[in-house]
Amino acid sequence: EYGGENVSAYEACCACGAGCVDLVAGWVDSDGDGCDVYADKLLCTASGDYGIGWNMLWNTTFEETAMLNLTARDVCCVCGGGTPVAE
């Protein structure tokens, strides 16, 4: 049981790793950064927050770097997005 709900952590948490695929293969943000860059540079957290690699001095947001009306929070498993898949 996860978070007091009647679902497993696997079902509730796409960003937990296994069981998730990025929503749009090959997606990049307006700066040309894909989910791999968000992961490598720690730009986001699994809960969808800004990671320690995100510099607030950039004065920008996930929403401002969206492409195809999608943010890293929507697309990237590492940022809490993605699509769950059955194992």
Side-chain angles (χ1 to χ4, degrees), residues 13-75:
C13 183
C14 194
C16 292
C20 183
V21 294
D22 293 333
L23 185 62
V24 178
W27 175 89
V28 295
D29 68 13
S30 62
D31 294 323
D33 296 331
C35 296
D36 58 332
V37 173
Y38 276 80
D40 292 344
K41 293 187 176 181
L42 304 176
L43 298 178
C44 60
T45 66
S47 62
D49 293 322
Y50 296 99
I52 61 173
W54 190 274
N55 187 338
M56 290 302 177
L57 296 177
W58 294 336
N59 200 27
T60 191
T61 64
F62 288 138
E63 289 72 23
E64 291 171 329
T65 60
M67 286 296 284
L68 306 173
N69 290 323
L70 296 169
T71 69
R73 288 179 178 148
D74 302 317
V75 177

